[in-house]
Amino acid sequence: QKEVEQNSGPLSVPEGAIASLNCTYSDRGSQSFFWYRQYSGKSPELIMFIYSNGDKEDGRFTAQLNKASQYVSLLIRDSQPSDSATYLCAVKGYSTLTFGKGTMLLVSP
Amino acid sequence: NAGVTQTPKFQVLKTGQSMTLQCAQDMNHNSMYWYRQDPGMGLRLIYYSASEGTTDKGEVPNGYNVSRLNKREFSLRLESAAPSQTSVYFCASSELTLYSNQPQHFGDGTRLSIL
C-alpha cells in the first residue's frame, strides 16, 4: 500500500510570513509529485508539480524534492489570507496518483 | 472551455436506490478518474480509465461500477446505494499518464447523501 503522509494541521501563519508544508511518501520508485490547493467546498486545483531533486519556483510558491529522504515540501512566501485552504500532496505511481490527506493552512491578517 | 463537467452537483438517495454520476471532459484527455473524498480520509481513487476502452479498480472500488462511454465521458454507477457511500465524488482527467507527468484536472464534484 503506497502511503503519502501529511500533517493535518491546521498550520497557522501570520500574513506576510512563509508557510512550509511537508509531505513524505513510502514508494521509493515514485517519480512525480504534485501540490494541489483545495478551498472549502471546492475541487482541488493544481498549484505545481516537481519531478527532479531540488527546488522549483513559481511566483510565491516553491516546491522542494528530496528523493533520497522521500520528502517533498511546498513553501509559500508572503502568505496571504487568500492562501488559507487545504493543501494536498499527490505522488504519481505507475498510472495513478496517491493523495495525502492534506494540510489545512490558515493565514491570519 | 468547460474542462471537466460533473452532473448532478447534489443528490440525495435512499438506501438501496441506484444512480449514475456523469462526467465529461472537453480537453481531449486520454485518462479519466473517479475519486471520493470523506472528512479526514483525503481523496481515494475508486476507478480509473487510463485510455478509452480500459477501466481499472482503484483503492476503494467495492459497491461501484464504471463505464468509459467514449473518450470524453466516464460514468460512475452505484447499483444499491449504502449510507457508507455518502461522500463527495470528484471526476478528474489527464493526458495519458503512463509515460508522462501530466497533472489531473478536477470537476466541481457531486455531493451525494444516502439516507
Side-chain angles (χ1 to χ4, degrees):
Chain A
Q1 181 77 4
K2 299 173 184 176
E3 295 183 348
V4 178
E5 299 290 339
Q6 295 182 258
N7 189 319
S8 61
L11 172 66
S12 296
V13 300
E15 183 174 358
I18 296 175
S20 178
L21 304 161
N22 305 315
C23 173
T24 59
Y25 58 95
S26 63
D27 184 1
R28 187 169 288 277
S30 300
Q31 294 296 317
S32 307
F33 308 87
F34 301 82
W35 282 100
Y36 285 82
R37 177 176 62 198
Q38 187 175 26
Y39 292 112
S40 181
K42 301 296 186 182
S43 60
E45 56 179 329
L46 181 72
I47 297 175
M48 59 191 308
F49 65 91
I50 186 169
Y51 48 86
S52 298
N53 273 328
D55 295 359
K56 180 181 179 181
E57 187 175 318
D58 184 0
R60 296 187 297 112
F61 299 96
T62 299
Q64 299 176 317
L65 175 60
N66 183 325
K67 289 184 179 180
S69 299
Q70 296 176 241
Y71 177 92
V72 59
S73 64
L74 179 70
L75 300 178
I76 306 175
R77 291 182 301 280
D78 187 24
S79 295
Q80 301 297 310
S82 59
D83 294 325
S84 296
T86 296
Y87 290 80
L88 305 173
C89 172
V91 176
K92 180 180 178 294
Y94 181 60
S95 58
T96 62
L97 294 182
T98 299
F99 284 83
K101 295 178 181 180
T103 298
M104 180 182 292
L105 173 66
L106 299 176
V107 181
S108 54
Chain B
N1 187 351
V4 180
T5 302
Q6 292 184 235
T7 56
K9 295 189 185 304
F10 302 93
Q11 185 70 48
V12 178
L13 292 178
K14 294 181 179 179
T15 298
Q17 287 185 316
S18 62
M19 81 161 295
T20 300
L21 280 62
Q22 306 287 353
C23 176
Q25 53 92 9
D26 62 3
M27 295 176 282
N28 201 35
H29 285 164
N30 286 290
S31 301
M32 298 184 74
Y33 312 83
W34 276 106
Y35 294 90
R36 60 179 289 175
Q37 188 173 38
D38 304 292
M41 295 299 294
L43 281 162
R44 293 184 292 170
L45 184 64
I46 304 171
Y47 270 93
Y48 68 100
S49 172
S51 61
E52 187 178 358
T54 69
T55 60
D56 287 285
K57 295 178 180 180
E59 180 185 355
V60 288
N62 291 344
Y64 305 95
N65 285 299
V66 291
S67 295
R68 184 72 183 267
L69 304 171
N70 48 55
K71 190 173 184 179
R72 292 186 62 250
E73 298 173 290
F74 188 39
S75 63
L76 178 72
R77 183 163 179 83
L78 288 70
E79 290 291 352
S80 179
S84 61
Q85 294 178 303
T86 293
S87 189
V88 180
Y89 291 85
F90 288 104
C91 177
S93 71
S94 70
E95 292 292 344
L96 186 63
T97 60
L98 290 176
Y99 307 110
S100 75
N101 296 310
Q102 294 300 313
Q104 295 180 14
H105 301 267
F106 285 80
D108 289 339
T110 295
R111 284 148 183 80
L112 181 62
S113 293
I114 300 163
L115 306 178

